[in-house]
Amino acid sequence: MPRTAEILIPLALESAYSYAVPEGLELAAGDVVQVPLGPREIVGVVWEVGESASGSNLRPVTGRVEVPPLAPGLRGLVDWLARYTLAPKGSALAMTLRLPDEAAGTETIRVGVRAAGRPPARATAARTKVLAVAADGAVHGKSALAKAAGVSLSVVDGLIDDGALETVALQPEPVALPPDPDHARVPLSEAQAEAAAKLIAFLNPPPSAGEGACGAGGRGDRNISGEGGAPLSRPSLRRGPPSPTQVGPARLGHQDADLGQARDRVGGGSSAPAAILLEGVTGSGKTEVYFEAIAECIRRGRQALILMPEIALTAQFLDRFADRFGVRPATWHSGIGGKRRERLRAGVAAGEVAVVVGARSALFLPFAELGLIVVDEEHEAAYKQEDGVHYHARDMAVVRGRIEGCTIVLASATPSIETRVNAMRGRYAHIGLPERFGGRRLPDIAAIDMRLDKPERGRFLAPPLVAAVRSNLAAGEQALLFLNRRGYAPLTLCRACGHRYRCRNCSTWLVEHRFRRALVCHQCGYAERRPESCSECGTFDNLTACGPGVERIAEEVAELFPDKRVIVLSSDFPGGAERLRSELQTVAEGGCDIVIGTQLVAKGHNFPHLTLVGVLDADVGLTSGDPRAAERTFQLLQQVTGRAGRGDRPGRAFVQTYQPEHPVIAALLSGDAERFYAEEIAAREEAGLPPFGRLAALIVSANEREAAEKHGQALARAADPPAGVMVLGPAEAPLALIRGRYRFRLLVKTERSINLQSYLRDWLAQGPKIRGNVRVSVDVDPQSFL
DNA sequence: TGAACTAGTGTG
DNA sequence: ACACTAGTTCAC
């Protein structure tokens, strides 16, 4: 009976391929092997082994690759990910498998030195100092030794030549030193300590606790995911770990059953939530709280992963970690390459690296003994991966956590609606951290009704705001003016003929960037030189800028407060990321009186001197077609206004708006976030919007329509939460969507990767070029379709 | 993913 | 007739 193996290949292939297993080769699921594929040899992973009578005409596996096998948990994750995201299984595998690429060969050997016990032929003062330091007999790094002795490297080199020091090959520098859970236990507030204790109570004990009741729960979870003997090949959606966003009423039955089972298994009365939401207002000290859980996790000998949005992975955060644990944690992000990447993977797989701080791709590292995953800033849209395999890292963290039987913490000051709903429904536990650390209070927020307090013509700061800024400056304090619009003016029109400048691709208005002297499309990046005369009627010098962008606000502020130091911060900051960083530093140090910023200033960066925040147009974004517009705006405004205030007293915030009665604005003013979310959740449920439903469009060639309808049905069935699907032919292509007023994200998948932007541009210019298997999924108000 | 294919178009 | 491009298919 010929033996066969199902081999999954990390290419965009829908399923594993069958190969014959040659005599003498023993294979098990997870083994990494080399197989022939068409004309070439390629690496794949054994997904299943078996025997089959019909296997005689299969090509044989070439051989095993001597690397550690892919752990069952990760195989389960790949299966789950592919199924949930409708991605080819091979693509899902590729995410976990960044195999020893060409970098594997050349580890640079570091050289250390130690005293050879022989006096130098010639002793100088510098040489004596070096030998004094080296007298301990330990191995020193060359440059470290020179530095410790306060001499230059050449002195050390001279001693080596002399034979007084001998060289020793050093172990490669460890990717991360072991963090010490008890390095510096920072004093916690009462609320923090309480939250930390609750969090730690949720930590699963190490598996060595053996017969412990919770341990059994962990195992049970693994069984659900298809490990421990259950076939991995086809974890049905129902039996797989429940989807993280699974909140639709249709699915509740399953969830409850699931939770019930988990509870039975755990015994001891404690429920087993899929995750824990750690909600703490800005400045409440969430980080310190989950650091305690991480410390406990380390003490129990298990690993911890902290996921962060890529931009939030800052030196500042790593230093905070080092303050608490004595060393910086290992970091993982897309920029880490080659040697270091492989070493970190190996360290993680061997269980030597205790804590990894990483961007979303860290989720696919081969942790040996994962005990805790923290998703920091869980509401961040940056957790969405929108090319290749389309996934949300927060949700995948929950899935990975359940598969590995570990604890998942979702931390945020402004949790997403999805997470809130899960917490409300009892799927997630909820730990709140209501007060700011050190008694800091949230700022007082006041609305400025722009219908009543009009700015002067051509101005955008309302008088009450100007007055507030003025008194703030008089007190020598820093103010932030927030406007979420880059550039100078969002619209340019000709006063003579009324022509408005639109993007030739997207039909959105072109935004004037005065600094660059250009009109720019913020949708697709198209840019043209700002014309002198109207390109429609030819009238010279009669173009007028409509509405404000941050550049224009800077102009106005310069006129109002000519002697004050002003910094404009936006993501297109001239001079690049490096200059931007130093400007942020300047602001943090108080070397600036007025900051004018786009949403960049809402994220992460700390502005300790800020006491006043003015939101120039709170209504931006409220009218977009994005079903998450209200939620996003609320979170953004809450974060921005929350920047005001220092340790000694609360700050003030002013919000300019034309619709103070809008639910988002009203909630912001009243501080009643609870009510806002309750209403938002009810409205979404009513309308079938996320997290309760979603809509996808498949765009296909006319002759694939039938197949696409079928695929669409499958998509709708598999989608969770349940999806609506519509199939469009190329002729009715997303033109309507693109031209429409709705902003949406879309994902185009073809067999070949394409540049979405140029693709859409060409599409609009000349009609569809790619026929065939193009899939687009959109997150958009269904009203725009139906 | 990359090699091999096809259809359509341009070029001499 | 043939090169070249853009898009599609296939690989166990």
Side-chain angles (χ1 to χ4, degrees), chain A residues 692-752:
Chain A
F692 302 96
R694 84 185 152 177
L695 191 77
L698 301 184
I699 300 180
V700 297
S701 67
N703 56 8
E704 300 223 17
R705 191 152 193 145
E706 202 177 320
E709 300 274 7
K710 253 172 90 183
H711 185 79
Q713 308 290 314
L715 187 136
R717 239 180 301 114
D720 196 6
V725 172
M726 68 186 308
V727 174
L728 302 170
E732 44 211 356
L735 230 78
L737 307 183
I738 294 160
R739 294 229 185 264
R741 67 198 166 87
Y742 299 101
R743 288 184 45 198
F744 57 94
R745 308 200 174 282
L746 44 69
L747 169 81
V748 175
K749 284 195 234 161
T750 65
E751 296 293 313
R752 179 172 295 284

Side-chain angles (χ1 to χ4, degrees), chain A residues 625-627 689-690 694-696 737 742-745 778-785:
Chain A
D626 185 333
L689 293 173
R694 84 185 152 177
L695 191 77
L737 307 183
Y742 299 101
R743 288 184 45 198
F744 57 94
R745 308 200 174 282
V778 294
D779 218 17
V780 68
D781 187 342
Q783 299 303 317
S784 67
F785 280 118

Side-chain angles (χ1 to χ4, degrees), chain A residues 6-68:
Chain A
E6 301 298 306
I7 312 289
L8 188 59
I9 293 160
L11 300 177
L13 302 173
E14 291 294 338
S15 62
Y17 284 175
S18 310
Y19 287 85
V21 181
E23 275 313 308
L25 185 63
E26 288 306 320
L27 291 180
D31 286 349
V32 180
V33 292
Q34 211 178 35
V35 290
L37 181 71
R40 62 213 154 112
E41 285 281 325
I42 197 163
V43 161
V45 175
V46 178
W47 225 243
E48 255 179 282
V49 286
E51 292 183 18
S52 145
S54 60
S56 49
N57 52 354
L58 296 174
R59 296 175 81 178
V61 173
T62 310
R64 191 206 306 273
V65 179
E66 290 306 324
V67 294

Side-chain angles (χ1 to χ4, degrees), chain A residues 240-294:
Chain A
S243 105
T245 48
Q246 184 178 83
V247 290
R251 296 258 173 204
L252 263 179
H254 292 137
Q255 280 162 30
D256 287 349
D258 224 295
L259 279 179
Q261 273 176 25
R263 239 174 250 130
D264 290 346
R265 253 183 266 119
V266 167
S270 73
S271 64
I276 303 146
L277 166 61
L278 177 61
E279 179 179 9
V281 297
T282 316
S284 60
K286 286 183 299 296
T287 312
E288 287 74 20
V289 171
Y290 72 67
F291 274 179
E292 291 311 306
I294 286 169

